[in-house]
Amino acid sequence: MNHILSNKKVILLYIAPALFLILALVYVPIVLTGYYGLMKWTGFGGMKFVGLENYSRLIQDSLFWQSAYHSFLLALFSVLSLIGYLLVSLILAGKIKGANLIRKIYLIPMLLASVIIAQLWMKIYHPSNGLLNHILIKLGIENPPSWLADPEWVLFAIIVPVIWQYAGFYILIYYAALKNIPQELEEVAKIDGATPFQIATRIKVPLIMNVIKVTIVLAVVGSLKYFDLIYVMTGGGPNGASEVMASYMYNKAFNEFDFGYGSTVGFFLLIICLIVTYLIRKLTVVRPNDNN
Amino acid sequence: MKRKGYSLLFAAVLVWTVVLSGCSGGSEAGNESGSEKMIQFMHLWPAGSSKHHNMIVKDIIEQFESKHPGVHVEVEVLENEQYKNKMKILSSSNQLPDVGFTWAAGYLNPFVEGKLFAPLDDVLDDGLKDEFVSGTTEAYEVDGQTYGLPLELNIAPIYYNKKIFKENNLEVPETYKEFKNVVKTLESEGVTPIALGNKDRWTGSLWYMYLADRLGGPKMLNKAIDRSGSFEDSAFVSAADEIQKLVKANAFNKGFNGLSNDEAKSQFLNEKAAMYLMGTWELPNFTTNEEIPQEFRDNVGYFKFPTVEGGKSDINSWVGGPGVGLFVAQNSKVKDESKEFAEFFVEKWGDQAVTKAGVIPATKVDTGEVELPQLYIDILDDLNQSSNLTLFADVQMSSSVAETHLNLIQSLFGNEVQPKDFAKRHEEALQKE
């Protein structure tokens, strides 16, 4: 067994299918996107090489920076929401009754397809028949905003379901990490007279710091390239008020037939994600001494 | 130990087979099986949402196949927006179906420039051209060649709910002043005057186009787009101003900028709004569609967009245009058969479209000969009297200008742009072309 698995040819045989797929579907398209980004191209017909012209256009494109701002705002709120998820997981990982059931309830939104979540929240936000405005009117608010149609509210109206959608995922990760902490540590701390709050902040959180770091990267990068709910719920509107980088890229390439520029936006988005990931890793380095 | 190794090997082989068969699956579909020729045909009338259209298409294909033994038509059906998306994706990899649906003017241009559509003048010169209502095939012309055979002709009247009008003692308005009174009365009675789903944006564009037409005359918009005129004409600005006045008067349903056209339509169908400006493709819903209560259908009437005092256009000028048309792909392997199919389709469609699906075809209809609901007869007669037909603005414009236009329409209705800037930004976008 071990003999067969340590054979180089066998290793190659086993990793080849996945490697082939990931190369063909991820890495080759990335390289191609970078290439198309240097072209003036309508998606069909001839391409014209324009060098970095698309990038200089991108730098001056205020609509792009507006959508980038929205993306970063979404990332900020996603990261802030992680604190909430962590709190919930800390409580769930403690010995409370029904923790199992509650954990499953939190997980359910994860099982729904994005489009269904979008449809659900569109019904909630419906300006005259929606659940939310019904409640607001009952509470005596006379002129509630028409959420998805209101440029001042639309972004927040979308951030809420995005956070709701991923709650179960992060809670599950934190919960699993917390369950991995040896029981003895907590018992020892208790004997030493530590309060539950101290146990949480001094023992549990530092011990799962590595997991927290990963979730921060996941949340930030996931937010920066976020697309689905926004595409279904508003399409980036009204007039770009909920446009994010990915939907902007889509609109440029597929609605305006500007595949060259669309590719530039896509490639730039990739670069931003890489830089941000690198920065987060740098900023959250845990010095060896702190680790134990 | 050894046996386990074999079974692992076996598993690896299995994985590889799955991967490889997944890769080859796509290419087999395109082959012709034996002597049979296959025409790939893509349309946008699914049986669920466009039952009658779908049935006619099936019928036409059956007729065609029985007349042409050895030719098989393979159909793919997608819903409107998905259809448009798929067209974009297929065209970027140069794999368009042999025959499919396209829209006129601005939508068509990039496909023609990319040499993806075949010119169809040979088909038209075969005598087919005389069967079309004049002005319809022209919308599919690029540099003197026609690239689409139009199937539909649509104009946009304002539908209204007769019951609601009667309850509030309202008459059909003929001037814009009367129209504003209607809006005011309805609003004060707590009835939503107009249903509008402006998330789709072209819906708001219809309102703007009519006001621009009534104020500045029938050719103003065409001229601004083909650059023999300017979008900074004062009539464009005052039309934008009128839109914002309507919005301030609460003429439209609440939150229209976040609602899709379908959501707005359901408000009108549920008698929650009194008026609805939309293309004649909605006529079946107001006449023959059994799924909508008879009582409501009897209550729907329509009127022409009112004239504006001092405006330069008459009441018989319409916003509208040919809807979808058929294209034949340039690189089709069965081009002759495909052209024949497209021609056959247009002829048969004209015979059945209005009576069975309630679609006004781009080919001529003799109202004396067909049995139709009164609403249709009226519209067809009005169409015969029309003084002008302005093609939908977003169809006329190139796709990037259209995108600017549609976004500006949303901001205009949302009160985020001043009428002057609205016109100025259109002018800038058009100049950049």
Side-chain angles (χ1 to χ4, degrees):
Chain A
M1 181 79 197
N2 285 336
H3 179 68
I4 292 175
L5 282 185
S6 60
N7 184 333
K8 289 263 162 52
K9 278 181 191 152
V10 175
I11 292 174
L12 185 70
L13 185 72
Y14 281 99
I15 62 165
L19 183 71
F20 171 72
L21 286 177
I22 206 167
L23 279 179
L25 298 176
V26 179
Y27 289 100
V28 173
I30 286 177
V31 175
L32 285 177
T33 307
Y35 171 70
Y36 295 146
L38 304 174
M39 301 288 167
K40 191 175 165 56
W41 185 38
T42 57
F44 31 76
M47 286 185 218
K48 205 179 122 209
F49 182 77
V50 290
L52 293 175
E53 197 180 288
N54 281 336
Y55 286 90
S56 68
R57 181 178 152 197
L58 184 79
I59 303 290
Q60 293 158 14
D61 187 347
S62 63
L63 287 176
F64 170 76
W65 291 111
Q66 187 195 345
S67 61
Y69 169 69
H70 295 156
S71 288
F72 277 103
L73 215 55
L74 178 63
L76 178 72
F77 278 95
S78 300
V79 171
L80 289 180
S81 69
L82 289 179
I83 300 171
Y85 302 149
L86 186 61
L87 270 175
V88 173
S89 316
L90 281 168
I91 294 166
L92 286 180
K95 291 182 190 86
I96 58 163
K97 268 190 188 155
N100 231 336
L101 179 72
I102 297 173
R103 210 179 73 237
K104 276 167 191 140
I105 291 174
Y106 277 117
L107 197 64
I108 283 176
M110 268 259 317
L111 304 177
L112 299 175
S114 288
V115 176
I116 294 172
I117 293 176
Q119 291 290 346
L120 173 75
W121 283 85
M122 276 160 78
K123 299 282 177 290
I124 293 175
Y125 284 134
H126 191 289
S128 44
N129 307 330
L131 177 74
L132 181 60
N133 277 4
H134 255 293
I135 295 174
L136 288 178
I137 288 167
K138 282 262 158 67
L139 289 176
I141 295 168
E142 263 185 24
N143 216 347
S146 41
W147 308 103
L148 296 179
D150 191 329
E152 283 173 24
W153 282 103
V154 63
L155 196 64
F156 298 99
I158 285 182
I159 287 176
V160 171
V162 174
I163 289 174
W164 178 83
Q165 178 183 19
Y166 286 106
F169 176 69
Y170 290 111
I171 289 174
L172 189 72
I173 292 183
Y174 288 147
Y175 179 82
L178 288 170
K179 278 286 168 192
N180 258 340
I181 297 172
Q183 203 69 53
E184 294 83 13
L185 290 176
E186 202 181 329
E187 277 159 22
V188 169
K190 264 188 196 151
I191 291 167
D192 286 345
T195 62
F197 179 75
Q198 283 173 323
I199 294 176
T201 53
R202 298 284 171 83
I203 296 174
K204 289 185 172 174
V205 173
L207 278 175
I208 62 164
M209 208 54 209
N210 276 323
V211 175
I212 294 177
K213 268 161 59 185
V214 171
T215 56
I216 291 175
V217 173
L218 280 179
V220 170
V221 174
S223 304
L224 290 181
K225 66 188 177 73
Y226 198 75
F227 178 72
D228 27 11
L229 279 194
I230 288 168
Y231 176 67
V232 181
M233 287 174 77
T234 63
N239 191 26
S242 62
E243 195 94 271
V244 290
M245 286 188 281
S247 66
Y248 188 72
M249 166 185 81
Y250 180 86
N251 281 336
K252 281 291 164 197
F254 290 98
N255 285 342
E256 296 184 24
F257 285 107
D258 201 342
F259 276 73
Y261 189 56
S263 303
T264 310
V265 176
F267 201 68
F268 198 69
L269 176 57
L270 175 79
I271 295 171
I272 290 181
C273 285
L274 287 176
I275 293 174
V276 168
T277 311
Y278 175 77
L279 285 180
I280 293 173
R281 298 208 73 106
K282 275 270 154 188
L283 290 175
T284 56
V285 160
V286 183
R287 271 163 282 140
N289 314 358
D290 300 352
N291 226 342
N292 290 305
Chain B
M1 200 60 129
K2 211 169 183 187
R3 194 179 289 162
K4 217 170 187 180
Y6 279 124
S7 64
L8 272 171
L9 248 177
F10 181 66
V13 171
L14 265 183
V15 169
W16 262 109
T17 333
V18 172
V19 170
L20 291 178
S21 63
C23 298
S24 61
S27 56
E28 271 164 37
N31 286 346
E32 291 158 21
S33 55
S35 63
E36 192 167 84
K37 288 191 171 166
M38 193 167 73
I39 300 175
Q40 287 180 328
F41 175 52
M42 200 160 95
H43 72 85
L44 42 72
W45 292 321
S49 54
S50 321
K51 200 170 86 195
H52 300 287
H53 298 62
N54 192 282
M55 268 157 41
I56 299 176
V57 172
K58 267 193 191 146
D59 181 49
I60 293 174
I61 291 172
E62 271 167 29
Q63 286 188 42
F64 182 78
E65 283 180 344
S66 67
K67 274 196 180 168
H68 298 80
V71 182
H72 174 65
V73 180
E74 176 152 304
V75 187
E76 187 177 359
V77 196
L78 292 160
E79 180 273 328
N80 194 15
E81 288 304 310
Q82 288 168 5
Y83 180 91
K84 283 186 180 166
N85 286 342
K86 179 134 189 185
M87 278 291 284
K88 287 164 195 165
I89 291 159
L90 287 179
S91 54
S92 59
S93 59
N94 208 355
Q95 287 179 336
L96 287 178
D98 300 309
V99 183
F101 282 13
T102 175
W103 286 263
Y107 181 86
L108 185 78
N109 281 331
F111 291 94
V112 172
E113 274 166 34
K115 296 197 171 45
L116 292 166
F117 289 174
L120 297 169
D121 296 271
D122 46 340
V123 182
L124 282 171
D125 292 341
D126 229 11
L128 188 65
K129 192 162 174 106
D130 298 332
E131 288 184 33
F132 285 105
V133 176
S134 66
T136 50
T137 52
E138 281 81 348
Y140 291 85
E141 248 175 43
V142 181
D143 298 330
Q145 285 190 302
T146 314
Y147 291 88
L149 303 177
L151 294 174
E152 302 173 309
L153 177 57
N154 290 298
I155 49 176
I158 301 179
Y159 305 101
Y160 71 103
N161 189 316
K162 286 182 195 162
K163 197 175 91 193
I164 298 180
F165 267 51
K166 213 170 162 188
E167 281 168 2
N168 295 289
N169 297 320
L170 291 168
E171 296 282 325
V172 166
E174 279 182 7
T175 63
Y176 193 64
K177 206 171 156 195
E178 288 170 18
F179 176 76
K180 281 204 276 196
N181 266 329
V182 169
V183 168
K184 208 170 141 194
T185 314
L186 288 168
E187 209 271 325
S188 63
E189 293 294 325
V191 181
T192 304
I194 301 162
L196 170 70
N198 209 28
K199 183 180 152 194
D200 293 347
R201 306 177 297 178
W202 54 267
T203 42
S205 173
L206 293 180
W207 283 95
Y208 179 72
M209 282 185 68
Y210 264 121
L211 277 168
D213 172 282
R214 293 296 187 258
L215 283 163
K219 292 292 165 226
M220 180 176 73
L221 185 72
N222 301 25
K223 281 184 182 157
I225 292 171
D226 73 22
R227 301 318 296 147
S228 59
S230 160
F231 216 101
E232 284 184 286
D233 192 304
S234 66
F236 280 119
V237 181
S238 25
D241 194 41
E242 286 299 334
I243 289 282
Q244 294 196 324
K245 278 184 191 155
L246 279 180
V247 172
K248 279 194 196 105
N250 289 330
F252 304 102
N253 49 326
K254 190 171 162 54
F256 50 80
N257 259 352
L259 295 179
S260 70
N261 181 37
D262 283 338
E263 287 171 297
K265 184 165 78 187
S266 75
Q267 291 199 346
F268 182 67
L269 293 178
N270 290 317
E271 314 205 285
K272 293 241 173 76
M275 293 179 276
Y276 181 51
L277 169 60
M278 196 37 61
T280 41
W281 56 78
E282 291 293 347
L283 278 175
N285 284 333
F286 307 141
T287 51
T288 52
N289 189 345
E290 298 289 339
E291 282 159 29
I292 288 158
Q294 178 78 41
E295 197 198 339
F296 171 76
R297 283 183 275 153
D298 290 342
N299 273 332
V300 178
Y302 77 90
F303 57 87
K304 301 169 184 174
F305 198 96
T307 48
V308 178
E309 294 82 354
K312 290 182 189 156
S313 177
D314 65 283
I315 201 158
N316 284 316
S317 168
W318 294 93
V319 166
V324 293
L326 291 175
F327 72 82
V328 171
Q330 178 73 298
N331 69 346
S332 164
K333 283 180 200 137
V334 284
K335 212 175 189 171
D336 292 337
E337 285 81 2
S338 297
K339 280 184 180 172
E340 219 170 298
F341 175 66
E343 187 180 351
F344 184 83
F345 194 103
V346 168
E347 282 172 355
K348 294 291 163 196
W349 175 256
D351 295 344
Q352 304 189 30
V354 72
T355 46
K356 283 197 185 155
V359 175
I360 299 173
T363 42
K364 290 167 192 159
V365 180
D366 188 347
T367 47
E369 263 186 22
V370 289
E371 188 96 354
L372 282 171
Q374 193 57 39
L375 212 56
Y376 273 100
I377 304 276
D378 292 346
I379 291 257
L380 286 168
D381 287 343
D382 276 339
L383 196 57
N384 290 337
Q385 289 174 21
S386 77
S387 60
N388 169 58
L389 188 67
T390 307
L391 190 59
F392 302 115
D394 57 324
V395 179
Q396 271 190 62
M397 295 163 171
S398 74
S399 47
S400 76
V401 178
E403 202 61 26
T404 312
H405 165 69
L406 293 171
N407 281 336
L408 280 168
I409 285 286
Q410 225 176 19
S411 331
L412 179 70
F413 277 78
N415 224 346
E416 294 160 57
V417 62
Q418 292 302 309
K420 265 216 169 100
D421 292 332
F422 172 83
K424 201 175 131 205
R425 280 161 68 180
H426 271 94
E427 180 65 21
E428 284 167 3
L430 284 161
Q431 267 172 9
K432 255 207 280 185
E433 282 292 293

